[in-house]
Amino acid sequence: MGDATQGLQERLAMIIASTPPGDRLPSEPELARKLGVSRASLREAMRFFETQGVIHRRPRAGTYVMQPPAVIETGLEVLESIDTLASRIGLSVSMGDVSIQKRVSSPEEASALGIQEGTKVIDIRRSILTQKKAVAYLIDIVPEGVISDEEMRGFQGSVLDLLLRRGSPPLQSSRCEINVVQANRELAKIFGIQRGDGLLMFKAWLYTVSGQVIDYSFSYFLPGYFRFHVVRRVGQVFSPTPNLST
Amino acid sequence: MGDATQGLQERLAMIIASTPPGDRLPSEPELARKLGVSRASLREAMRFFETQGVIHRRPRAGTYVMQPPAVIETGLEVLESIDTLASRIGLSVSMGDVSIQKRVSSPEEASALGIQEGTKVIDIRRSILTQKKAVAYLIDIVPEGVISDEEMRGFQGSVLDLLLRRGSPPLQSSRCEINVVQANRELAKIFGIQRGDGLLMFKAWLYTVSGQVIDYSFSYFLPGYFRFHVVRRVGQVFSPTPNLST
DNA sequence: CGTTTTTAATTTGTCAGACAATTGACGTTT
DNA sequence: AAACGTCAATTGTCTGACAAATTAAAAACG
């Protein structure tokens, strides 16, 4: 994307975020004037958010901010922290040792986060315990600067919850890849299992509304303790229902 | 989206699909001329595909078609058969041995399908091969009568595709549970792996629009060959400005 | 002839201005 | 009060243009 595009998307994201869901955005000429760009460039940026389902454009009527889903579904469709999930499915959990360190990013991490290789990142690792037994192990990689030193010191729960509570930058969605990995020595020790035993792994990219990855995470789950499910619709995805609040 | 936009995106998608990955697309003026639209409209459509990660635009160098991942990748939001998925991404898979038998249902199956215990069910098992190596093993349990003997004889692909093609009863959605299991002797033999090795497992209930479970299935996947992902939406209203009206 | 430098064409990013078609609010009429 | 016509507003689309950097061709040089 272009140089100015990044900034434009970010500023447009803020305007969208500060518009109550269901409300109409200012007209395109007005927005373009306010953002200091041409209407063509603005429309391209808006197409980005339209593709993501954040806004809905109705010809000759205006552009509306989409209403986020009203009901909280159980399952993977809605992003929630493991802590929230665990307590909801009746697991009384506690947090094991937390490891927080600032270090330079690996090439893979830099690529995932869309940052320069070698830029510093914050590496947060923690385990989730139930009855003194680890059932989940979570690794969060966030670019330096996203979380301040003060926030890091007072860190108690999940990175996601911290970002949600803080409210900025506004979060959009998480792309979560599902996989199975064999426990290496480190993971086997953490979970108290044999090396090579299967673990459920989620690799996730957390996106802000401006399309930037703000958190790159690995979550390992001991089989049997969590039950993730997803509702898969039959048919095509295209043409999402407007779902506008009047 | 506009009237012509849908058609434009479709035609542009065909051009992108027919361009070898890694190759450069024709320049924007040329594409616009070929598609009979203005450059501005073309660029909006291209932004759509850029958002989806299908193409990559490099300023002053050209627009390139992204290399699709080598592994089978699909979002879980939409239900489709492994066969359809494979053909859609151009992967050559074949079907291994198919086992179809009619037998009485187990208590668990009867409960899942909402039928009387002991009612007969059809048990369909098959493996998916790529280069003579099993990468998936699928078990479908459907109530007797859902699939006729004739349909069973001519069975070639997936149960889901059969039901979709038939059109009746109309299908609604599938609830899919994600888990990790250790390969037992049977699965280890099928996949050519060690007993105890981890396998990704989907346990799914396929619902008709009338809410009845028409298919209860177990799908086992060899790690590394499939990449399932799901987009998780942030479940929190992101409106920093409280909506004081209403 | 091979290598390096210069030049020109190419390509995306962006802008300004314009027109069409339809909507939705407003005023008017019945 | 309800139905109707009017008109400003809004998105969709088009044309034409320029800037900046890349890329390939051409030219210069040894």
Side-chain angles (χ1 to χ4, degrees), chain B residues 72-105:
Chain B
I72 302 175
E73 176 164 5
T74 181
L76 287 178
E77 291 83 0
V78 173
L79 179 64
E80 69 180 347
S81 70
I82 299 295
D83 315 72
T84 305
L85 165 65
S87 74
R88 189 163 59 74
I89 65 174
L91 196 97
S92 73
V93 296
S94 59
M95 196 162 72
D97 293 336
V98 183
S99 143
I100 304 179
Q101 59 171 323
K102 205 177 287 185
R103 58 173 173 77
V104 295
S105 59

mmCIF file of all heavy atoms in Angstrom, chain B residues 72-105:
data_model
loop_
_atom_site.group_PDB
_atom_site.id
_atom_site.type_symbol
_atom_site.label_atom_id
_atom_site.label_comp_id
_atom_site.label_asym_id
_atom_site.label_seq_id
_atom_site.Cartn_x
_atom_site.Cartn_y
_atom_site.Cartn_z
ATOM 1 N N ILE B 72 -3.311 -26.990 2.048
ATOM 2 C CA ILE B 72 -4.733 -26.764 1.823
ATOM 3 C C ILE B 72 -5.220 -25.801 2.882
ATOM 4 O O ILE B 72 -5.082 -26.052 4.072
ATOM 5 C CB ILE B 72 -5.501 -28.093 1.898
ATOM 6 C CG1 ILE B 72 -4.946 -29.062 0.861
ATOM 7 C CG2 ILE B 72 -6.992 -27.858 1.698
ATOM 8 C CD1 ILE B 72 -5.553 -30.433 0.930
ATOM 9 N N GLU B 73 -5.757 -24.710 2.449
ATOM 10 C CA GLU B 73 -6.175 -23.689 3.402
ATOM 11 C C GLU B 73 -7.614 -23.299 3.147
ATOM 12 O O GLU B 73 -8.030 -23.118 2.020
ATOM 13 C CB GLU B 73 -5.289 -22.452 3.270
ATOM 14 C CG GLU B 73 -5.721 -21.324 4.167
ATOM 15 C CD GLU B 73 -4.642 -20.273 4.332
ATOM 16 O OE1 GLU B 73 -3.605 -20.405 3.669
ATOM 17 O OE2 GLU B 73 -4.863 -19.356 5.122
ATOM 18 N N THR B 74 -8.359 -23.187 4.187
ATOM 19 C CA THR B 74 -9.744 -22.786 4.018
ATOM 20 C C THR B 74 -10.274 -22.178 5.300
ATOM 21 O O THR B 74 -9.869 -22.536 6.397
ATOM 22 C CB THR B 74 -10.620 -23.987 3.639
ATOM 23 O OG1 THR B 74 -11.941 -23.557 3.455
ATOM 24 C CG2 THR B 74 -10.582 -25.040 4.710
ATOM 25 N N GLY B 75 -11.151 -21.248 5.127
ATOM 26 C CA GLY B 75 -11.843 -20.706 6.275
ATOM 27 C C GLY B 75 -12.938 -21.662 6.698
ATOM 28 O O GLY B 75 -13.545 -22.326 5.866
ATOM 29 N N LEU B 76 -13.163 -21.737 7.981
ATOM 30 C CA LEU B 76 -14.158 -22.692 8.459
ATOM 31 C C LEU B 76 -15.560 -22.126 8.450
ATOM 32 O O LEU B 76 -16.512 -22.827 8.729
ATOM 33 C CB LEU B 76 -13.792 -23.127 9.890
ATOM 34 C CG LEU B 76 -12.594 -24.064 9.993
ATOM 35 C CD1 LEU B 76 -12.302 -24.376 11.446
ATOM 36 C CD2 LEU B 76 -12.869 -25.345 9.242
ATOM 37 N N GLU B 77 -15.675 -20.843 8.137
ATOM 38 C CA GLU B 77 -16.991 -20.225 8.239
ATOM 39 C C GLU B 77 -17.986 -20.836 7.274
ATOM 40 O O GLU B 77 -19.171 -20.926 7.541
ATOM 41 C CB GLU B 77 -16.899 -18.713 7.976
ATOM 42 C CG GLU B 77 -16.183 -17.934 9.064
ATOM 43 C CD GLU B 77 -14.683 -17.984 8.904
ATOM 44 O OE1 GLU B 77 -14.220 -18.624 7.944
ATOM 45 O OE2 GLU B 77 -13.991 -17.396 9.734
ATOM 46 N N VAL B 78 -17.500 -21.221 6.122
ATOM 47 C CA VAL B 78 -18.397 -21.783 5.128
ATOM 48 C C VAL B 78 -18.131 -23.272 5.007
ATOM 49 O O VAL B 78 -16.990 -23.715 4.954
ATOM 50 C CB VAL B 78 -18.211 -21.094 3.768
ATOM 51 C CG1 VAL B 78 -19.016 -21.799 2.700
ATOM 52 C CG2 VAL B 78 -18.614 -19.637 3.874
ATOM 53 N N LEU B 79 -19.192 -24.010 4.986
ATOM 54 C CA LEU B 79 -19.079 -25.462 4.923
ATOM 55 C C LEU B 79 -18.884 -25.909 3.492
ATOM 56 O O LEU B 79 -19.660 -25.557 2.608
ATOM 57 C CB LEU B 79 -20.350 -26.084 5.500
ATOM 58 C CG LEU B 79 -20.439 -27.609 5.500
ATOM 59 C CD1 LEU B 79 -19.364 -28.190 6.388
ATOM 60 C CD2 LEU B 79 -21.808 -28.051 5.950
ATOM 61 N N GLU B 80 -17.862 -26.644 3.262
ATOM 62 C CA GLU B 80 -17.686 -27.267 1.957
ATOM 63 C C GLU B 80 -16.931 -28.560 2.146
ATOM 64 O O GLU B 80 -16.204 -28.736 3.119
ATOM 65 C CB GLU B 80 -16.987 -26.328 0.968
ATOM 66 C CG GLU B 80 -15.542 -26.058 1.270
ATOM 67 C CD GLU B 80 -14.914 -25.112 0.245
ATOM 68 O OE1 GLU B 80 -15.517 -24.878 -0.804
ATOM 69 O OE2 GLU B 80 -13.815 -24.616 0.527
ATOM 70 N N SER B 81 -17.132 -29.438 1.224
ATOM 71 C CA SER B 81 -16.500 -30.744 1.358
ATOM 72 C C SER B 81 -15.010 -30.629 1.071
ATOM 73 O O SER B 81 -14.552 -29.705 0.413
ATOM 74 C CB SER B 81 -17.131 -31.737 0.395
ATOM 75 O OG SER B 81 -16.771 -31.406 -0.921
ATOM 76 N N ILE B 82 -14.277 -31.580 1.580
ATOM 77 C CA ILE B 82 -12.840 -31.604 1.338
ATOM 78 C C ILE B 82 -12.579 -31.695 -0.161
ATOM 79 O O ILE B 82 -11.653 -31.069 -0.686
ATOM 80 C CB ILE B 82 -12.206 -32.813 2.052
ATOM 81 C CG1 ILE B 82 -12.435 -32.697 3.557
ATOM 82 C CG2 ILE B 82 -10.717 -32.899 1.755
ATOM 83 C CD1 ILE B 82 -11.738 -31.537 4.194
ATOM 84 N N ASP B 83 -13.429 -32.437 -0.843
ATOM 85 C CA ASP B 83 -13.264 -32.612 -2.278
ATOM 86 C C ASP B 83 -13.429 -31.276 -3.004
ATOM 87 O O ASP B 83 -12.616 -30.900 -3.849
ATOM 88 C CB ASP B 83 -14.293 -33.609 -2.800
ATOM 89 C CG ASP B 83 -14.400 -34.829 -1.905
ATOM 90 O OD1 ASP B 83 -14.946 -34.682 -0.787
ATOM 91 O OD2 ASP B 83 -13.930 -35.893 -2.301
ATOM 92 N N THR B 84 -14.504 -30.569 -2.671
ATOM 93 C CA THR B 84 -14.739 -29.265 -3.291
ATOM 94 C C THR B 84 -13.602 -28.315 -2.974
ATOM 95 O O THR B 84 -13.103 -27.604 -3.845
ATOM 96 C CB THR B 84 -16.063 -28.668 -2.770
ATOM 97 O OG1 THR B 84 -17.111 -29.612 -2.994
ATOM 98 C CG2 THR B 84 -16.378 -27.363 -3.487
ATOM 99 N N LEU B 85 -13.193 -28.333 -1.717
ATOM 100 C CA LEU B 85 -12.085 -27.484 -1.298
ATOM 101 C C LEU B 85 -10.836 -27.768 -2.106
ATOM 102 O O LEU B 85 -10.200 -26.862 -2.649
ATOM 103 C CB LEU B 85 -11.811 -27.709 0.187
ATOM 104 C CG LEU B 85 -10.481 -27.190 0.719
ATOM 105 C CD1 LEU B 85 -10.447 -25.681 0.619
ATOM 106 C CD2 LEU B 85 -10.267 -27.636 2.143
ATOM 107 N N ALA B 86 -10.524 -29.033 -2.232
ATOM 108 C CA ALA B 86 -9.296 -29.411 -2.931
ATOM 109 C C ALA B 86 -9.341 -28.968 -4.391
ATOM 110 O O ALA B 86 -8.374 -28.422 -4.916
ATOM 111 C CB ALA B 86 -9.087 -30.917 -2.832
ATOM 112 N N SER B 87 -10.477 -29.201 -5.025
ATOM 113 C CA SER B 87 -10.573 -28.838 -6.442
ATOM 114 C C SER B 87 -10.561 -27.330 -6.604
ATOM 115 O O SER B 87 -10.078 -26.807 -7.604
ATOM 116 C CB SER B 87 -11.848 -29.428 -7.046
ATOM 117 O OG SER B 87 -12.980 -28.719 -6.599
ATOM 118 N N ARG B 88 -11.120 -26.629 -5.612
ATOM 119 C CA ARG B 88 -11.168 -25.170 -5.712
ATOM 120 C C ARG B 88 -9.769 -24.572 -5.669
ATOM 121 O O ARG B 88 -9.494 -23.562 -6.310
ATOM 122 C CB ARG B 88 -12.026 -24.598 -4.591
ATOM 123 C CG ARG B 88 -12.310 -23.116 -4.722
ATOM 124 C CD ARG B 88 -13.473 -22.708 -3.846
ATOM 125 N NE ARG B 88 -13.267 -22.995 -2.450
ATOM 126 C CZ ARG B 88 -12.462 -22.301 -1.661
ATOM 127 N NH1 ARG B 88 -11.811 -21.275 -2.144
ATOM 128 N NH2 ARG B 88 -12.316 -22.621 -0.396
ATOM 129 N N ILE B 89 -8.896 -25.170 -4.907
ATOM 130 C CA ILE B 89 -7.551 -24.621 -4.812
ATOM 131 C C ILE B 89 -6.610 -25.358 -5.741
ATOM 132 O O ILE B 89 -5.411 -25.136 -5.704
ATOM 133 C CB ILE B 89 -7.025 -24.677 -3.365
ATOM 134 C CG1 ILE B 89 -6.880 -26.132 -2.929
ATOM 135 C CG2 ILE B 89 -7.939 -23.942 -2.438
ATOM 136 C CD1 ILE B 89 -6.234 -26.258 -1.590
ATOM 137 N N GLY B 90 -7.177 -26.223 -6.578
ATOM 138 C CA GLY B 90 -6.360 -26.846 -7.604
ATOM 139 C C GLY B 90 -5.424 -27.916 -7.087
ATOM 140 O O GLY B 90 -4.381 -28.162 -7.668
ATOM 141 N N LEU B 91 -5.817 -28.562 -5.994
ATOM 142 C CA LEU B 91 -4.983 -29.632 -5.463
ATOM 143 C C LEU B 91 -5.506 -30.960 -6.002
ATOM 144 O O LEU B 91 -6.689 -31.204 -6.046
ATOM 145 C CB LEU B 91 -5.041 -29.628 -3.941
ATOM 146 C CG LEU B 91 -3.931 -30.432 -3.286
ATOM 147 C CD1 LEU B 91 -2.801 -29.516 -2.891
ATOM 148 C CD2 LEU B 91 -4.456 -31.169 -2.080
ATOM 149 N N SER B 92 -4.592 -31.786 -6.421
ATOM 150 C CA SER B 92 -5.022 -33.075 -6.946
ATOM 151 C C SER B 92 -5.084 -34.078 -5.813
ATOM 152 O O SER B 92 -4.068 -34.460 -5.251
ATOM 153 C CB SER B 92 -4.054 -33.550 -8.035
ATOM 154 O OG SER B 92 -2.862 -33.971 -7.459
ATOM 155 N N VAL B 93 -6.290 -34.455 -5.474
ATOM 156 C CA VAL B 93 -6.479 -35.469 -4.444
ATOM 157 C C VAL B 93 -7.287 -36.608 -5.050
ATOM 158 O O VAL B 93 -8.020 -36.428 -6.005
ATOM 159 C CB VAL B 93 -7.240 -34.919 -3.216
ATOM 160 C CG1 VAL B 93 -6.431 -33.846 -2.548
ATOM 161 C CG2 VAL B 93 -8.602 -34.417 -3.607
ATOM 162 N N SER B 94 -7.110 -37.746 -4.481
ATOM 163 C CA SER B 94 -7.906 -38.877 -4.919
ATOM 164 C C SER B 94 -8.540 -39.519 -3.699
ATOM 165 O O SER B 94 -8.171 -39.230 -2.565
ATOM 166 C CB SER B 94 -7.029 -39.884 -5.663
ATOM 167 O OG SER B 94 -5.996 -40.324 -4.808
ATOM 168 N N MET B 95 -9.506 -40.367 -3.964
ATOM 169 C CA MET B 95 -10.200 -40.980 -2.862
ATOM 170 C C MET B 95 -9.661 -42.387 -2.670
ATOM 171 O O MET B 95 -9.507 -43.131 -3.627
ATOM 172 C CB MET B 95 -11.694 -41.003 -3.130
ATOM 173 C CG MET B 95 -12.510 -41.257 -1.899
ATOM 174 S SD MET B 95 -14.220 -40.774 -2.143
ATOM 175 C CE MET B 95 -14.771 -42.056 -3.224
ATOM 176 N N GLY B 96 -9.363 -42.704 -1.443
ATOM 177 C CA GLY B 96 -8.890 -44.056 -1.165
ATOM 178 C C GLY B 96 -10.051 -45.024 -1.099
ATOM 179 O O GLY B 96 -11.112 -44.794 -1.683
ATOM 180 N N ASP B 97 -9.854 -46.091 -0.396
ATOM 181 C CA ASP B 97 -10.920 -47.088 -0.280
ATOM 182 C C ASP B 97 -12.148 -46.494 0.388
ATOM 183 O O ASP B 97 -12.046 -45.722 1.332
ATOM 184 C CB ASP B 97 -10.418 -48.290 0.538
ATOM 185 C CG ASP B 97 -9.324 -49.036 -0.205
ATOM 186 O OD1 ASP B 97 -9.302 -48.925 -1.446
ATOM 187 O OD2 ASP B 97 -8.508 -49.709 0.446
ATOM 188 N N VAL B 98 -13.300 -46.866 -0.135
ATOM 189 C CA VAL B 98 -14.542 -46.420 0.458
ATOM 190 C C VAL B 98 -15.227 -47.603 1.102
ATOM 191 O O VAL B 98 -15.330 -48.672 0.506
ATOM 192 C CB VAL B 98 -15.470 -45.800 -0.605
ATOM 193 C CG1 VAL B 98 -16.728 -45.275 0.046
ATOM 194 C CG2 VAL B 98 -14.758 -44.710 -1.363
ATOM 195 N N SER B 99 -15.654 -47.388 2.328
ATOM 196 C CA SER B 99 -16.376 -48.452 3.026
ATOM 197 C C SER B 99 -17.771 -47.952 3.356
ATOM 198 O O SER B 99 -17.926 -46.918 4.019
ATOM 199 C CB SER B 99 -15.618 -48.835 4.302
ATOM 200 O OG SER B 99 -16.514 -49.132 5.352
ATOM 201 N N ILE B 100 -18.763 -48.659 2.851
ATOM 202 C CA ILE B 100 -20.146 -48.291 3.143
ATOM 203 C C ILE B 100 -20.848 -49.486 3.750
ATOM 204 O O ILE B 100 -20.849 -50.572 3.174
ATOM 205 C CB ILE B 100 -20.887 -47.857 1.859
ATOM 206 C CG1 ILE B 100 -20.140 -46.712 1.155
ATOM 207 C CG2 ILE B 100 -22.310 -47.426 2.182
ATOM 208 C CD1 ILE B 100 -20.797 -46.256 -0.124
ATOM 209 N N GLN B 101 -21.400 -49.279 4.922
ATOM 210 C CA GLN B 101 -22.142 -50.394 5.514
ATOM 211 C C GLN B 101 -23.363 -49.881 6.262
ATOM 212 O O GLN B 101 -23.374 -48.773 6.780
ATOM 213 C CB GLN B 101 -21.235 -51.196 6.445
ATOM 214 C CG GLN B 101 -20.647 -50.388 7.592
ATOM 215 C CD GLN B 101 -19.929 -51.275 8.605
ATOM 216 O OE1 GLN B 101 -20.372 -52.385 8.877
ATOM 217 N NE2 GLN B 101 -18.835 -50.783 9.157
ATOM 218 N N LYS B 102 -24.372 -50.712 6.260
ATOM 219 C CA LYS B 102 -25.588 -50.404 6.997
ATOM 220 C C LYS B 102 -25.560 -51.206 8.288
ATOM 221 O O LYS B 102 -25.307 -52.401 8.281
ATOM 222 C CB LYS B 102 -26.808 -50.784 6.155
ATOM 223 C CG LYS B 102 -28.064 -50.006 6.506
ATOM 224 C CD LYS B 102 -29.215 -50.378 5.588
ATOM 225 C CE LYS B 102 -29.045 -49.823 4.185
ATOM 226 N NZ LYS B 102 -30.226 -50.090 3.329
ATOM 227 N N ARG B 103 -25.763 -50.517 9.400
ATOM 228 C CA ARG B 103 -25.704 -51.208 10.690
ATOM 229 C C ARG B 103 -26.570 -50.480 11.696
ATOM 230 O O ARG B 103 -27.062 -49.385 11.423
ATOM 231 C CB ARG B 103 -24.255 -51.287 11.172
ATOM 232 C CG ARG B 103 -23.588 -49.915 11.306
ATOM 233 C CD ARG B 103 -22.213 -50.047 11.956
ATOM 234 N NE ARG B 103 -21.506 -48.781 11.951
ATOM 235 C CZ ARG B 103 -21.745 -47.763 12.786
ATOM 236 N NH1 ARG B 103 -22.711 -47.862 13.686
ATOM 237 N NH2 ARG B 103 -21.046 -46.652 12.716
ATOM 238 N N VAL B 104 -26.723 -51.063 12.840
ATOM 239 C CA VAL B 104 -27.533 -50.415 13.873
ATOM 240 C C VAL B 104 -26.701 -49.329 14.553
ATOM 241 O O VAL B 104 -25.483 -49.446 14.649
ATOM 242 C CB VAL B 104 -28.039 -51.433 14.925
ATOM 243 C CG1 VAL B 104 -28.996 -52.410 14.276
ATOM 244 C CG2 VAL B 104 -26.877 -52.135 15.591
ATOM 245 N N SER B 105 -27.366 -48.310 14.998
ATOM 246 C CA SER B 105 -26.657 -47.170 15.557
ATOM 247 C C SER B 105 -26.228 -47.440 16.989
ATOM 248 O O SER B 105 -26.899 -48.142 17.747
ATOM 249 C CB SER B 105 -27.559 -45.938 15.519
ATOM 250 O OG SER B 105 -28.746 -46.180 16.247
#
